[in-house]
Amino acid sequence: MPTGGPIRIVVCIKQVPKAQELQVDPKTQTLKRVGVPSEINPPDANALEFALRIKDDMPAEIVVLSMGPTSFDESLERAIAMGADRAVLLTDRILGGSDTVPTAHALSETIAKIGGYDLILCGEETTDASTGHVGPGIAGHLAIPQVTYISEMRIVDGKVRARRTAEDGSEWWETAMPCLLTVNFGCNRPREPTLSGKIRVKRGGVIVHWSCADVGIDPNKVGLRNSPTIVAKVDTVHLPPRARKLFQGEAREVVAQLLKALVEDGVIAP
Amino acid sequence: MTEIHHNALEGKSHFAGIWVFLEGRKGSLRDVSVQLIGEGRRLADRRGVPLTGVLPGHDVEALARHAIGYGLDRVVVVDHPLLEIYRSRPFTKVMATLIIRHKPEIVLYGASKNGRDLGGRLHAVLETGLAADCVKFDLDDDGNLDMIRPSFGGKSLAHILCKQHRPQMASARRNVFLAPRHDPSRQGAIVHEAVEISDADLDAKLLEFTEFVREGGARPDEAGIVVSGGYGLGDPKNFGMLQELADLLGGAVAASRKAVDSGWIPKEFQVGQTGMTVRPKVYFAIGISGAVQHLAGMQESGKIVAINIDPKAAIFEIADYGIVGNLFQIVPEMIQQLKELKARPAKTVEAVATIR
Ligand SMILES: Cc1cc2nc3c(=O)[nH]c(=O)nc-3n(C[C@H](O)[C@H](O)[C@H](O)COP(=O)(O)OP(=O)(O)OC[C@H]3O[C@@H](n4cnc5c(N)ncnc54)[C@H](O)[C@@H]3O)c2cc1C
Ligand SMILES: Nc1ncnc2c1ncn2[C@@H]1O[C@H](COP(=O)(O)O)[C@@H](O)[C@H]1O
């Protein structure tokens, strides 16, 4: 509960390969991941933007947290340059192969170690694992309220109000802090890094690396070995081949050609 | 604020039976819940175990009876005023308590927002596996549930196994499993279970609910022809033009997420990974760039038509027919020609096509 001082916001961000650049290798039939540029998981950037907007309005400290290899520093640096105060990278070989259970466990332990948090923000889901389970998992471990799939939020009288989009409608929820929210992709426009932010990155000292031992994470709770699920195999999806026929020319002509083709295919009535 | 923590690893062999989490909505079941009952029935018959529906709610006895007709052997009802609407903490508590009490080997959820919200919290406190957004289930030689889900925007399918932990949990995508027929004469048991819930479990308050309203028209997931609009439309009013086109074709309007996020059209019209899956005979992608998350929801359509001003748009790669051009010229022209076709059937197609 905030007691007048700055509120502490932890934003969980993951670095992911840019989805649009992922291609299936025609030879090996697996995804080519090497050489693919990375980015902050897009909804996590929206989560960070919410944190930054809170900080625009009231005293707040923003800690970005990520779990992964040291290459994730690139995204943490970007988050700092955008305006986050400091970053923690939980990085340890024994974390490799963790599914959502150890990931939620390790992140919640790390958040507990950071301590003093009022608000935890996650993205709705990652573009590489796309489960959306890690955020609610962290909230479950920390036994704090959660509101998922939010598109708007504000802090009113020390409480969080957030608008959640469900299938049937939009819901405004109110909850006390500390709480965890998962943020919808595209609900705001993440700001660009600033020059002063970049300078702070350059000066150094804003990103710390913690190992499992540093946090006190039980090695028997994380990693591939302690993940309930395994990926037994991956099948390439063989989509129906597409004609990829392009019609070019005047609007009247191309539309006539298109309609003729669809009628001939028997998919629209003549 | 104690919450149940439980390592499900112990005594895997004590776990038996298949459960389906039933999501009620306005006195009926959400469609994904009905679809899941059908798939659960198939798996339960193969495993030779009973199929149980779990329905937390308030005054849901009649709904529980109705649910049996879709193929359940029994429904576990937890009735409490605080369960009237979906809330993360009380629902997690109910499911965790019941799972620890009865030890099902498989628990299935609909991959709705609530299903994912619940499953995500629950699997962490139970420390068991949860596969998201499955599109197919199978059983391996050892009787483990093979949970099959798209990965990387549907470019591949991953087989997920949860071999050591129980229960094996998964959420299923909407509209991939067929809804079973309802048999009102089917017999099944209603079992009332008590789970202690108090105001202390009420950690969030619903202040306001605004229902999305659908303004008539066919549902995209049921239509043979889908006319889908994206950010290229530039303005919500241009969906009117797409509706006119859809009406002429006897189809339904849908949208990309960016059009939805811009507030141009309600969320329930969104196609894609975080929207619905459609498989119409023809899918028109108009002013849609073709992001993997969009393709995930429409790439199994019969024919795909793309209209985009950018010849390099990714959507053209999976289109059967593409028109590189300005939608504001192409769409009105289509409307015009379809009207002409309607007025003078049969001959017009050739007549128009031969204008060169
Ligand atoms: C976690 C996550 C989940 C997502 N889930 C979904 C999902 O379920 N569904 C979904 O659709 N997206 C989803 N997305 C978003 C997706 O990545 C894209 O951002 C989105 O699909 C883009 O929508 P669009 O094609 O309408 O817009 P844009 O990418 O902006 O494309 C607009 C297109 O319109 C064309 N255009 C502009 N003007 C004209 C004109 N006058 N005539 C013709 N063409 C024109 C442009 O050339 C462009 O190709 C998700 C993203 C994330 C990160
Ligand atoms: N390795 C990670 N490091 C930091 N945050 C993560 C990590 N994995 C997942 N998250 C957070 O959890 C959200 C949901 O992820 P997922 O369940 O993988 O779809 C993401 O949007 C992030 O906010």
Side-chain angles (χ1 to χ4, degrees), chain A residues 58-130:
Chain A
M58 63 171 82
E61 184 201 24
I62 302 173
V63 186
V64 281
L65 167 61
S66 194
M67 165 181 142
T70 50
S71 59
F72 280 22
D73 275 349
E74 187 188 321
S75 291
L76 295 177
E77 284 171 2
R78 186 176 170 89
I80 301 275
M82 284 166 72
D85 295 284
R86 58 189 177 102
V88 176
L89 179 69
L90 178 66
T91 185
D92 201 315
R93 291 181 68 143
I94 64 168
L95 292 165
S98 291
D99 74 3
T100 53
V101 171
T103 301
H105 173 78
L107 287 172
S108 59
E109 294 284 299
T110 311
I111 293 168
K113 160 115 179 155
I114 292 168
Y117 55 87
D118 300 295
L119 182 60
I120 302 168
L121 298 177
C122 288
E124 59 169 306
E125 65 177 50
T126 51
T127 51
D128 59 351
S130 31

Side-chain angles (χ1 to χ4, degrees), chain A:
Chain A
M1 203 62 83
T3 51
I7 69 162
R8 180 172 288 168
I9 309 170
V10 178
V11 186
C12 296
I13 69 172
K14 188 180 180 189
Q15 181 166 305
V16 294
K18 281 192 178 156
Q20 210 59 50
E21 319 251 348
L22 281 174
Q23 299 292 338
V24 177
D25 187 324
K27 278 215 188 87
T28 60
Q29 293 290 307
T30 53
L31 282 165
K32 292 191 275 192
R33 298 191 78 163
V34 278
V36 177
S38 301
E39 61 183 349
I40 296 177
N41 178 49
D44 302 357
N46 296 113
L48 176 59
E49 175 60 29
F50 270 150
L52 293 165
R53 287 184 187 182
I54 293 171
K55 203 186 158 177
D56 291 340
D57 283 352
M58 63 171 82
E61 184 201 24
I62 302 173
V63 186
V64 281
L65 167 61
S66 194
M67 165 181 142
T70 50
S71 59
F72 280 22
D73 275 349
E74 187 188 321
S75 291
L76 295 177
E77 284 171 2
R78 186 176 170 89
I80 301 275
M82 284 166 72
D85 295 284
R86 58 189 177 102
V88 176
L89 179 69
L90 178 66
T91 185
D92 201 315
R93 291 181 68 143
I94 64 168
L95 292 165
S98 291
D99 74 3
T100 53
V101 171
T103 301
H105 173 78
L107 287 172
S108 59
E109 294 284 299
T110 311
I111 293 168
K113 160 115 179 155
I114 292 168
Y117 55 87
D118 300 295
L119 182 60
I120 302 168
L121 298 177
C122 288
E124 59 169 306
E125 65 177 50
T126 51
T127 51
D128 59 351
S130 31
T131 77
H133 293 160
V134 169
I138 294 170
H141 277 301
L142 298 173
I144 58 172
Q146 70 188 49
V147 186
T148 51
Y149 304 105
I150 69 138
S151 294
E152 266 179 82
M153 67 156 299
R154 57 183 85 113
I155 296 176
V156 184
D157 299 333
K159 287 190 171 169
V160 169
R161 283 196 190 163
R163 186 168 68 82
R164 175 176 194 250
T165 30
E167 281 81 0
D168 328 305
S170 97
E171 313 165 340
W172 271 103
W173 288 89
E174 183 181 80
T175 179
M177 295 194 273
C179 64
L180 181 142
L181 309 177
T182 78
V183 175
N184 280 336
F185 167 68
C187 64
N188 58 32
R189 250 189 91 146
R191 62 195 67 184
E192 291 300 315
T194 62
L195 185 62
S196 63
K198 286 180 187 162
I199 292 169
R200 288 189 54 239
V201 172
K202 270 250 166 62
R203 273 204 213 111
V206 280
I207 303 178
V208 294
H209 287 184
W210 286 347
S211 67
C212 286
D214 291 336
V215 178
I217 293 167
D218 180 354
N220 292 314
K221 288 260 187 188
V222 293
L224 183 63
R225 210 164 43 84
N226 301 297
S227 291
T229 61
I230 53 154
V231 180
K233 66 173 172 157
V234 177
D235 299 332
T236 309
V237 174
H238 293 283
L239 291 168
R242 300 287 173 180
R244 294 170 64 170
K245 187 165 171 45
L246 284 187
F247 299 113
Q248 277 163 347
E250 288 298 306
R252 187 160 175 78
E253 194 180 319
V254 291
V255 167
Q257 287 172 351
L258 170 66
L259 293 181
K260 182 164 186 270
L262 292 172
V263 169
E264 279 171 5
D265 290 339
V267 289
I268 67 169

